[in-house]
Amino acid sequence: MSDKRKGKLSGPIIRKAMLDSLVKLNPVTMMKNPVMFVVEIGMVLVLLLLLFPGFFGSRSGFGFNLSVFLILLVTMLFANFAEALAEGRGKAQADSLKKTKKDVTANKLVGGHVKSVAASELRKGDIVVVAQGEMIPGDGEIIEGIASVDESAITGESAPVIKEAGGDFSSVTGGTLVVSDRIVVRISSDPGESFIDRMIALVEGAQRQKTPNEIALSTLLTVLTLIFLIVVVTLKPMADYLNIHLEIPVLVSLLVCLIPTTIGGLLSAIGIAGMDRITRFNVLAMSGKAVEAAGDINTMILDKTGTITYGNRMASEFIAVGQEKESDLAAWAAVSSLQDDTPEGRSVIDYAKTKGFGFDRGLADGGGIVPFQAETRMSGIDLKDGRRVRKGAVDAVREWVLSDGGVIPADLEQKASRVASEGGTPLAVAVDNRILGVIYLKDTVKPGMKERFEQLRKMGIKTIMCTGDNPLTAATIAREAGVDDYIAESKPEDKIAVIRREQAQGKLVAMTGDGTNDAPALAQADVGLAMNSGTVSAKEAANMVDLDSDPSKIIEVVAIGKQLLMTRGALTTFSIANDIAKYFAIIPAMFMLAVPEMNALNIMGLGSPLSAVLSALIFNAVIIPLLIPLAMRGVTYKPMSSQRLLSRNLLVYGLGGVIAPFIGIKLIDLIVHLWI
């Protein structure tokens, strides 16, 4: 992954966040966060009491008022710092991305002639020519030619990728470099709408829109704040009626401690940090809604080739026939593959080494290479000593052996059929007129996929594999990979049908794709992850783009989405649980002088009413910066069901949220009481 997206916190980011914390005290800015805006109003009221003693008939001392004002100010700054820190990391990434944007010159085709224009003048539909060593001036699709393209400015990967017209790898991104050859590109975006422009807008936290879940939680916090505001406001006349004098700073302290200030101060930072995590994972999300939806996924649709399997047939077994030995078969299969640069050929040698079979590399020296041809369906080598080695389709090798007067082993057909029936490809190996056996080639499941699917199952996510293979091959791969279901001989409309079927049952569906034929399904899915190497239509239809073009990354995307939801839920639970302990600190302090019986609620044994109020306020302020690392990093993700997750949150963050303030407020009170 590119260093520019690692997003580590640096000194400049922290210093800028501290400055932004002061700027964000602007009431116009604070109004966007109702919980913290109420805290700011309370802070202003206490400030008025400092400037105008006796205001509102208050008889509270200057020292107490000053303490309350400073604590509330620090509370505001800590909350603003959390948001500014998350935004600062995103803006730092955006600045790095802006540096990749260069005002390059484009070779635009106009009336059959090439005209040099600035890249900023290009519009959607323009045709440009890009040669070796030139920068691609804008996002587009190759309509002519093939080239090797360096995409390190976008993906962070140094290895160039092959892009060509007419396939699923025709999409190119502005700011990338053509390493070889020449291509003709049709521009697919107007200025300000390019891939990098959208990515910059995403990582700049200030431009991030709130997600539906975040809006709902903000509404809940606003309602809770309003309820506690009404309760605190009505306390004053009720206390006056009972001849209990409650000071304005004490009422403000009560309100600030009872409203969910902790989660209110961290909510925005949690959302921004969640978007930041997925961006640092080299995934471009078109909206925060897509990230959240990933956390609620019930069903995952995955292509077989390239996602679950490597996509290349690889040697997985040597099957000797007749009286031949497996070791001899392995040795000659390896010799026949020494000059075979295909993935299949390399896999034969690798498999022979893995299984400990020896072979003589020197036999191939000076031999005549027989390349694979569609007509013969065989490849091999003619050795210097006159022996001939062939490897290829069973029927082709059989005919070659028979033409040389050889005898076909009786069990060849049966063993070759067994390989085919299991979804594999049998390759026969022969030396002169003698068939030694069959190489079992199959599309190998990637290591660890079965364990990952098991994790998804624990999370309650159903996995469905789509493949164009026949049902027998599909069933074999599905069994090896451990997916829950599969669709064999699938067509684009089959993917849409299964997505709609799952959605009709109230489920959220995720899928990956890279081709034009995947675009309809990507658009239909709740979370569509397109490959950056794919077509423009696929990337436009999806709501996420993987810059690394790794189809299996959808599994990590779901984990990041769940981590975002878990973090928000955990800190909300902790924040609300905090209020219980703060209630036992503030309420007795307000009334125990006038109503001695209220001292029974002072279960923490706090020193005095003033120290109790200040201790609760200090804890309320200090807990926010202590939770900033957790909000930025996210709660550690562990695959589990929703019920187990709820139980874990209640136990760890619910119970912890009740116990921590009791301990924290008591420790702070021991110091504050001595000071007072």
Side-chain angles (χ1 to χ4, degrees):
M1 187 183 297
S2 176
D3 289 340
K4 71 189 176 194
R5 280 187 293 280
K6 288 183 181 178
K8 293 181 179 179
L9 297 177
S10 61
I13 292 178
I14 294 175
R15 287 192 293 272
K16 182 68 165 57
M18 293 173 70
L19 179 61
D20 287 345
S21 300
L22 293 170
V23 175
K24 286 176 177 289
L25 289 175
N26 185 336
V28 176
T29 303
M30 294 306 304
M31 287 179 66
K32 298 176 183 178
N33 188 336
V35 177
M36 301 313 296
F37 183 58
V38 168
V39 178
E40 186 170 44
I41 293 174
M43 181 184 70
V44 172
L45 284 175
V46 178
L47 177 61
L48 289 175
L49 293 176
L50 275 173
L51 299 176
F52 307 100
F55 192 63
F56 292 133
S58 175
R59 291 175 292 181
S60 54
F62 178 84
F64 179 74
N65 290 348
L66 179 61
S67 300
V68 172
F69 169 75
L70 292 176
I71 295 171
L72 293 181
L73 177 61
V74 170
T75 303
M76 298 288 300
L77 292 175
F78 281 157
N80 289 345
F81 180 73
E83 182 176 8
L85 197 62
E87 289 177 357
R89 185 159 60 177
K91 289 176 180 177
Q93 295 178 50
D95 291 340
S96 297
L97 286 168
K98 287 174 182 176
K99 292 178 182 177
T100 66
K101 295 186 65 177
K102 299 176 181 177
D103 191 12
V104 301
T105 300
N107 299 316
K108 180 181 176 182
L109 278 178
V110 181
H113 300 284
V114 175
K115 179 183 178 182
S116 294
V117 300
S120 57
E121 296 180 15
L122 295 175
R123 296 295 182 270
K124 188 174 182 179
D126 287 346
I127 307 296
V128 297
V129 178
V130 190
Q132 179 178 343
E134 295 179 346
M135 198 79 73
I136 296 175
D139 293 358
E141 194 159 10
I142 300 174
I143 57 176
E144 180 185 321
I146 179 172
S148 178
V149 179
D150 178 2
E151 295 187 326
S152 58
I154 304 298
T155 65
E157 297 296 331
S158 57
V161 293
I162 302 298
K163 299 283 188 173
E164 59 182 322
D168 288 346
F169 300 96
S170 59
S171 172
V172 290
T173 306
T176 56
L177 181 70
V178 173
V179 179
S180 67
D181 302 294
R182 171 186 177 276
I183 51 176
V184 179
V185 178
R186 180 188 291 114
I187 300 299
S188 61
S189 64
D190 290 326
E193 300 175 356
S194 70
F195 195 81
I196 292 181
D197 289 321
R198 284 184 291 166
M199 192 166 184
I200 291 171
L202 169 72
V203 299
E204 287 185 318
Q207 299 181 20
R208 184 189 65 89
Q209 293 183 341
K210 289 187 177 181
T211 62
N213 184 284
E214 192 173 346
I215 292 172
L217 184 54
S218 296
T219 303
L220 173 62
L221 298 181
T222 302
V223 170
L224 287 174
T225 301
L226 182 61
I227 291 172
F228 283 120
L229 179 61
I230 294 172
V231 170
V232 172
V233 169
T234 55
L235 267 179
K236 177 64 175 172
M238 291 173 60
D240 289 344
Y241 179 77
L242 297 172
N243 293 319
I244 301 174
H245 187 72
L246 295 179
E247 300 293 345
I248 296 297
V250 175
L251 289 172
V252 169
S253 301
L254 173 65
L255 177 61
V256 171
C257 286
L258 292 186
I259 63 177
T261 50
T262 305
I263 187 62
L266 295 173
L267 184 58
S268 182
I270 294 170
I272 295 172
M275 294 290 288
D276 175 65
R277 277 195 296 275
I278 203 162
T279 304
R280 285 185 286 122
F281 205 67
N282 258 15
V283 174
L284 172 62
M286 304 307 177
S287 68
K289 183 179 179 181
V291 182
E292 261 190 18
D296 285 328
I297 286 300
N298 306 107
T299 304
M300 190 179 295
I301 312 293
L302 302 115
D303 273 330
K304 183 206 76 171
T305 305
T307 304
I308 296 174
T309 65
Y310 284 108
N312 295 319
R313 298 175 304 167
M314 302 179 72
S316 62
E317 188 179 354
F318 292 129
I319 306 172
V321 296
Q323 302 300 314
E324 304 294 342
K325 297 178 180 178
E326 183 183 3
S327 57
D328 291 338
L329 168 61
W332 286 111
V335 169
S336 71
S337 303
L338 286 173
Q339 302 296 332
D340 186 350
D341 290 331
T342 65
E344 291 90 343
R346 290 193 296 270
S347 75
V348 171
I349 296 175
D350 291 340
Y351 184 73
K353 290 180 180 178
T354 301
K355 291 298 181 180
F357 293 117
F359 56 92
D360 186 357
R361 287 182 173 273
L363 288 174
D365 294 340
I369 305 302
V370 180
F372 177 85
Q373 294 181 343
E375 296 81 7
T376 63
R377 293 185 296 152
M378 292 187 302
S379 64
I381 186 170
D382 293 336
L383 305 181
K384 289 187 298 182
D385 60 10
R387 286 179 293 180
R388 298 175 298 162
V389 187
R390 294 293 184 271
K391 173 188 69 178
V394 174
D395 56 341
V397 173
R398 182 197 301 113
E399 293 300 321
W400 183 76
V401 168
L402 287 174
S403 67
D404 199 31
V407 178
I408 307 302
D411 57 348
L412 174 65
E413 192 66 34
Q414 176 260 324
K415 291 185 176 179
S417 298
R418 193 260 292 179
V419 172
S421 67
E422 293 178 0
T425 301
L427 285 185
V429 177
V431 178
D432 292 332
N433 62 356
R434 181 170 120 246
I435 295 181
L436 304 178
V438 172
I439 304 172
Y440 187 158
L441 293 182
K442 69 176 181 179
D443 194 356
T444 308
V445 174
K446 292 180 179 179
M449 292 303 292
K450 192 164 189 174
E451 290 75 16
R452 295 170 91 180
F453 289 139
E454 181 60 32
Q455 288 181 346
L456 292 173
R457 198 169 293 111
K458 290 178 181 177
M459 293 154 47
I461 297 175
K462 177 183 179 183
T463 51
I464 301 176
M465 181 187 77
C466 290
T467 175
D469 291 336
N470 61 67
L472 201 56
T473 302
T476 301
I477 297 295
R479 184 171 57 254
E480 290 183 13
V483 295
D484 298 311
D485 200 359
Y486 65 90
I487 301 174
E489 299 175 342
S490 68
K491 299 179 287 293
E493 50 267 31
D494 294 329
K495 296 178 182 178
I496 297 178
V498 70
I499 291 173
R500 288 175 176 168
R501 186 187 70 209
E502 294 292 316
Q503 289 173 333
Q505 299 173 17
K507 299 178 180 178
L508 295 184
V509 183
M511 80 156 287
T512 62
D514 59 3
T516 301
N517 61 344
D518 291 324
L522 287 168
Q524 180 68 39
D526 299 283
V527 176
L529 180 65
M531 302 298 102
N532 187 42
S533 60
T535 60
V536 171
S537 57
K539 290 192 282 189
E540 289 180 346
N543 50 23
M544 289 187 182
V545 178
D546 176 22
L547 303 180
D548 297 328
S549 300
D550 177 6
S552 64
K553 195 181 285 187
I554 186 68
I555 298 174
E556 277 76 17
V557 168
V558 169
I560 292 172
K562 285 193 173 294
Q563 185 184 39
L564 171 63
L565 297 178
M566 286 172 61
T567 303
R568 189 180 295 152
L571 292 184
T572 300
T573 303
F574 185 86
S575 177
I576 294 175
N578 264 212
D579 294 339
I580 297 175
K582 288 181 282 188
Y583 170 89
F584 282 102
I586 297 283
I587 295 296
M590 292 173 62
F591 294 101
M592 61 187 181
L593 291 180
V595 185
E597 290 80 2
M598 290 290 291
N599 195 46
L601 292 177
N602 185 20
I603 58 178
M604 282 188 266
L606 302 179
S608 68
L610 291 184
S611 70
V613 172
L614 292 178
S615 298
L617 269 184
I618 293 172
F619 177 85
N620 193 67
V622 169
I623 197 65
I624 294 176
L626 291 179
L627 291 175
I628 287 177
L630 182 61
M632 299 288 286
R633 185 183 66 251
V635 174
T636 302
Y637 171 71
K638 294 181 180 179
M640 62 181 70
S641 64
S642 299
Q643 186 174 357
R644 284 189 60 199
L645 180 59
L646 177 61
S647 301
R648 179 175 177 268
N649 270 358
L650 290 176
L651 179 62
V652 177
Y653 297 98
L655 185 59
V658 172
I659 296 174
F662 275 91
I663 299 172
I665 292 173
K666 179 60 179 177
L667 292 175
I668 294 171
D669 178 73
L670 293 175
I671 300 171
V672 173
H673 181 58
L674 292 175
W675 171 61
I676 291 178

mmCIF file of all heavy atoms in Angstrom, residues 239-261:
data_model
loop_
_atom_site.group_PDB
_atom_site.id
_atom_site.type_symbol
_atom_site.label_atom_id
_atom_site.label_comp_id
_atom_site.label_asym_id
_atom_site.label_seq_id
_atom_site.Cartn_x
_atom_site.Cartn_y
_atom_site.Cartn_z
ATOM 1 N N ALA A 239 -36.838 23.489 43.008
ATOM 2 C CA ALA A 239 -35.953 23.643 44.167
ATOM 3 C C ALA A 239 -36.251 24.951 44.895
ATOM 4 O O ALA A 239 -36.256 24.994 46.137
ATOM 5 C CB ALA A 239 -34.500 23.604 43.718
ATOM 6 N N ASP A 240 -36.509 26.030 44.144
ATOM 7 C CA ASP A 240 -36.849 27.307 44.772
ATOM 8 C C ASP A 240 -38.123 27.189 45.601
ATOM 9 O O ASP A 240 -38.233 27.767 46.696
ATOM 10 C CB ASP A 240 -37.023 28.390 43.700
ATOM 11 C CG ASP A 240 -35.691 28.791 43.067
ATOM 12 O OD1 ASP A 240 -34.643 28.458 43.661
ATOM 13 O OD2 ASP A 240 -35.706 29.400 41.988
ATOM 14 N N TYR A 241 -39.085 26.438 45.116
ATOM 15 C CA TYR A 241 -40.347 26.250 45.824
ATOM 16 C C TYR A 241 -40.114 25.545 47.162
ATOM 17 O O TYR A 241 -40.797 25.810 48.155
ATOM 18 C CB TYR A 241 -41.307 25.446 44.951
ATOM 19 C CG TYR A 241 -42.635 25.172 45.602
ATOM 20 C CD1 TYR A 241 -43.621 26.165 45.681
ATOM 21 C CD2 TYR A 241 -42.917 23.911 46.146
ATOM 22 C CE1 TYR A 241 -44.846 25.914 46.290
ATOM 23 C CE2 TYR A 241 -44.131 23.655 46.753
ATOM 24 C CZ TYR A 241 -45.094 24.657 46.825
ATOM 25 O OH TYR A 241 -46.310 24.407 47.435
ATOM 26 N N LEU A 242 -39.091 24.648 47.160
ATOM 27 C CA LEU A 242 -38.773 23.905 48.386
ATOM 28 C C LEU A 242 -37.702 24.609 49.211
ATOM 29 O O LEU A 242 -37.146 24.022 50.147
ATOM 30 C CB LEU A 242 -38.286 22.490 48.026
ATOM 31 C CG LEU A 242 -39.310 21.590 47.310
ATOM 32 C CD1 LEU A 242 -38.652 20.305 46.846
ATOM 33 C CD2 LEU A 242 -40.488 21.267 48.242
ATOM 34 N N ASN A 243 -37.416 25.875 48.845
ATOM 35 C CA ASN A 243 -36.399 26.672 49.536
ATOM 36 C C ASN A 243 -35.002 26.039 49.469
ATOM 37 O O ASN A 243 -34.213 26.122 50.406
ATOM 38 C CB ASN A 243 -36.791 26.907 51.008
ATOM 39 C CG ASN A 243 -38.020 27.788 51.126
ATOM 40 O OD1 ASN A 243 -38.149 28.771 50.399
ATOM 41 N ND2 ASN A 243 -38.929 27.425 52.033
ATOM 42 N N ILE A 244 -34.740 25.359 48.348
ATOM 43 C CA ILE A 244 -33.406 24.797 48.097
ATOM 44 C C ILE A 244 -32.780 25.622 46.988
ATOM 45 O O ILE A 244 -33.287 25.675 45.869
ATOM 46 C CB ILE A 244 -33.481 23.310 47.681
ATOM 47 C CG1 ILE A 244 -34.158 22.475 48.768
ATOM 48 C CG2 ILE A 244 -32.092 22.773 47.359
ATOM 49 C CD1 ILE A 244 -34.397 21.036 48.368
ATOM 50 N N HIS A 245 -31.706 26.317 47.293
ATOM 51 C CA HIS A 245 -31.094 27.208 46.310
ATOM 52 C C HIS A 245 -30.064 26.440 45.471
ATOM 53 O O HIS A 245 -29.072 25.945 45.982
ATOM 54 C CB HIS A 245 -30.408 28.391 47.007
ATOM 55 C CG HIS A 245 -29.911 29.420 46.029
ATOM 56 N ND1 HIS A 245 -30.767 30.252 45.335
ATOM 57 C CD2 HIS A 245 -28.647 29.746 45.635
ATOM 58 C CE1 HIS A 245 -30.062 31.039 44.554
ATOM 59 N NE2 HIS A 245 -28.758 30.748 44.723
ATOM 60 N N LEU A 246 -30.351 26.346 44.162
ATOM 61 C CA LEU A 246 -29.439 25.672 43.237
ATOM 62 C C LEU A 246 -28.760 26.718 42.362
ATOM 63 O O LEU A 246 -29.422 27.507 41.674
ATOM 64 C CB LEU A 246 -30.207 24.673 42.347
ATOM 65 C CG LEU A 246 -30.849 23.479 43.066
ATOM 66 C CD1 LEU A 246 -31.578 22.595 42.066
ATOM 67 C CD2 LEU A 246 -29.795 22.665 43.801
ATOM 68 N N GLU A 247 -27.445 26.742 42.394
ATOM 69 C CA GLU A 247 -26.691 27.706 41.610
ATOM 70 C C GLU A 247 -26.683 27.318 40.131
ATOM 71 O O GLU A 247 -26.709 26.129 39.775
ATOM 72 C CB GLU A 247 -25.246 27.803 42.127
ATOM 73 C CG GLU A 247 -25.123 28.244 43.577
ATOM 74 C CD GLU A 247 -25.564 29.691 43.782
ATOM 75 O OE1 GLU A 247 -25.686 30.425 42.773
ATOM 76 O OE2 GLU A 247 -25.801 30.064 44.933
ATOM 77 N N ILE A 248 -26.635 28.344 39.281
ATOM 78 C CA ILE A 248 -26.619 28.114 37.828
ATOM 79 C C ILE A 248 -25.436 27.231 37.410
ATOM 80 O O ILE A 248 -25.613 26.281 36.639
ATOM 81 C CB ILE A 248 -26.582 29.456 37.066
ATOM 82 C CG1 ILE A 248 -27.857 30.266 37.337
ATOM 83 C CG2 ILE A 248 -26.424 29.211 35.559
ATOM 84 C CD1 ILE A 248 -29.121 29.617 36.853
ATOM 85 N N PRO A 249 -24.220 27.474 37.900
ATOM 86 C CA PRO A 249 -23.098 26.609 37.509
ATOM 87 C C PRO A 249 -23.312 25.141 37.882
ATOM 88 O O PRO A 249 -22.870 24.242 37.162
ATOM 89 C CB PRO A 249 -21.905 27.200 38.266
ATOM 90 C CG PRO A 249 -22.274 28.623 38.503
ATOM 91 C CD PRO A 249 -23.751 28.599 38.747
ATOM 92 N N VAL A 250 -23.988 24.907 39.018
ATOM 93 C CA VAL A 250 -24.257 23.529 39.431
ATOM 94 C C VAL A 250 -25.254 22.887 38.473
ATOM 95 O O VAL A 250 -25.099 21.725 38.074
ATOM 96 C CB VAL A 250 -24.775 23.484 40.879
ATOM 97 C CG1 VAL A 250 -25.173 22.060 41.249
ATOM 98 C CG2 VAL A 250 -23.709 23.999 41.836
ATOM 99 N N LEU A 251 -26.294 23.646 38.083
ATOM 100 C CA LEU A 251 -27.284 23.124 37.133
ATOM 101 C C LEU A 251 -26.643 22.858 35.769
ATOM 102 O O LEU A 251 -26.928 21.846 35.120
ATOM 103 C CB LEU A 251 -28.440 24.118 36.988
ATOM 104 C CG LEU A 251 -29.382 24.245 38.190
ATOM 105 C CD1 LEU A 251 -30.355 25.397 37.986
ATOM 106 C CD2 LEU A 251 -30.142 22.944 38.415
ATOM 107 N N VAL A 252 -25.772 23.764 35.360
ATOM 108 C CA VAL A 252 -25.061 23.556 34.091
ATOM 109 C C VAL A 252 -24.197 22.301 34.174
ATOM 110 O O VAL A 252 -24.151 21.487 33.240
ATOM 111 C CB VAL A 252 -24.196 24.790 33.749
ATOM 112 C CG1 VAL A 252 -23.256 24.477 32.584
ATOM 113 C CG2 VAL A 252 -25.076 25.983 33.406
ATOM 114 N N SER A 253 -23.528 22.131 35.310
ATOM 115 C CA SER A 253 -22.689 20.944 35.499
ATOM 116 C C SER A 253 -23.519 19.675 35.429
ATOM 117 O O SER A 253 -23.113 18.672 34.822
ATOM 118 C CB SER A 253 -21.960 21.021 36.844
ATOM 119 O OG SER A 253 -21.156 22.174 36.914
ATOM 120 N N LEU A 254 -24.689 19.715 36.075
ATOM 121 C CA LEU A 254 -25.583 18.555 36.040
ATOM 122 C C LEU A 254 -25.981 18.233 34.608
ATOM 123 O O LEU A 254 -25.934 17.068 34.182
ATOM 124 C CB LEU A 254 -26.828 18.820 36.885
ATOM 125 C CG LEU A 254 -27.930 17.744 36.806
ATOM 126 C CD1 LEU A 254 -27.433 16.432 37.393
ATOM 127 C CD2 LEU A 254 -29.190 18.210 37.515
ATOM 128 N N LEU A 255 -26.366 19.258 33.855
ATOM 129 C CA LEU A 255 -26.798 19.046 32.477
ATOM 130 C C LEU A 255 -25.670 18.459 31.634
ATOM 131 O O LEU A 255 -25.868 17.481 30.903
ATOM 132 C CB LEU A 255 -27.273 20.374 31.874
ATOM 133 C CG LEU A 255 -27.689 20.325 30.397
ATOM 134 C CD1 LEU A 255 -28.857 19.374 30.208
ATOM 135 C CD2 LEU A 255 -28.039 21.710 29.883
ATOM 136 N N VAL A 256 -24.478 19.041 31.737
ATOM 137 C CA VAL A 256 -23.339 18.581 30.934
ATOM 138 C C VAL A 256 -22.974 17.137 31.275
ATOM 139 O O VAL A 256 -22.616 16.348 30.398
ATOM 140 C CB VAL A 256 -22.129 19.511 31.144
ATOM 141 C CG1 VAL A 256 -20.866 18.924 30.505
ATOM 142 C CG2 VAL A 256 -22.418 20.883 30.570
ATOM 143 N N CYS A 257 -23.080 16.787 32.546
ATOM 144 C CA CYS A 257 -22.720 15.428 32.959
ATOM 145 C C CYS A 257 -23.767 14.399 32.559
ATOM 146 O O CYS A 257 -23.441 13.228 32.349
ATOM 147 C CB CYS A 257 -22.498 15.372 34.468
ATOM 148 S SG CYS A 257 -20.942 16.133 34.991
ATOM 149 N N LEU A 258 -25.043 14.809 32.471
ATOM 150 C CA LEU A 258 -26.108 13.851 32.174
ATOM 151 C C LEU A 258 -26.344 13.669 30.678
ATOM 152 O O LEU A 258 -26.737 12.589 30.242
ATOM 153 C CB LEU A 258 -27.410 14.278 32.859
ATOM 154 C CG LEU A 258 -27.422 14.191 34.390
ATOM 155 C CD1 LEU A 258 -28.812 14.498 34.929
ATOM 156 C CD2 LEU A 258 -26.979 12.808 34.868
ATOM 157 N N ILE A 259 -26.145 14.708 29.879
ATOM 158 C CA ILE A 259 -26.321 14.522 28.441
ATOM 159 C C ILE A 259 -25.139 13.713 27.902
ATOM 160 O O ILE A 259 -24.057 13.713 28.484
ATOM 161 C CB ILE A 259 -26.438 15.881 27.700
ATOM 162 C CG1 ILE A 259 -25.164 16.703 27.841
ATOM 163 C CG2 ILE A 259 -27.644 16.661 28.192
ATOM 164 C CD1 ILE A 259 -25.192 18.016 27.058
ATOM 165 N N PRO A 260 -25.337 12.991 26.782
ATOM 166 C CA PRO A 260 -24.280 12.087 26.275
ATOM 167 C C PRO A 260 -23.137 12.849 25.603
ATOM 168 O O PRO A 260 -22.934 12.767 24.388
ATOM 169 C CB PRO A 260 -25.031 11.198 25.289
ATOM 170 C CG PRO A 260 -26.189 12.019 24.837
ATOM 171 C CD PRO A 260 -26.579 12.881 25.997
ATOM 172 N N THR A 261 -22.379 13.596 26.409
ATOM 173 C CA THR A 261 -21.291 14.409 25.849
ATOM 174 C C THR A 261 -20.157 13.550 25.290
ATOM 175 O O THR A 261 -19.502 13.943 24.316
ATOM 176 C CB THR A 261 -20.718 15.354 26.924
ATOM 177 O OG1 THR A 261 -20.428 14.608 28.101
ATOM 178 C CG2 THR A 261 -21.695 16.451 27.257
#
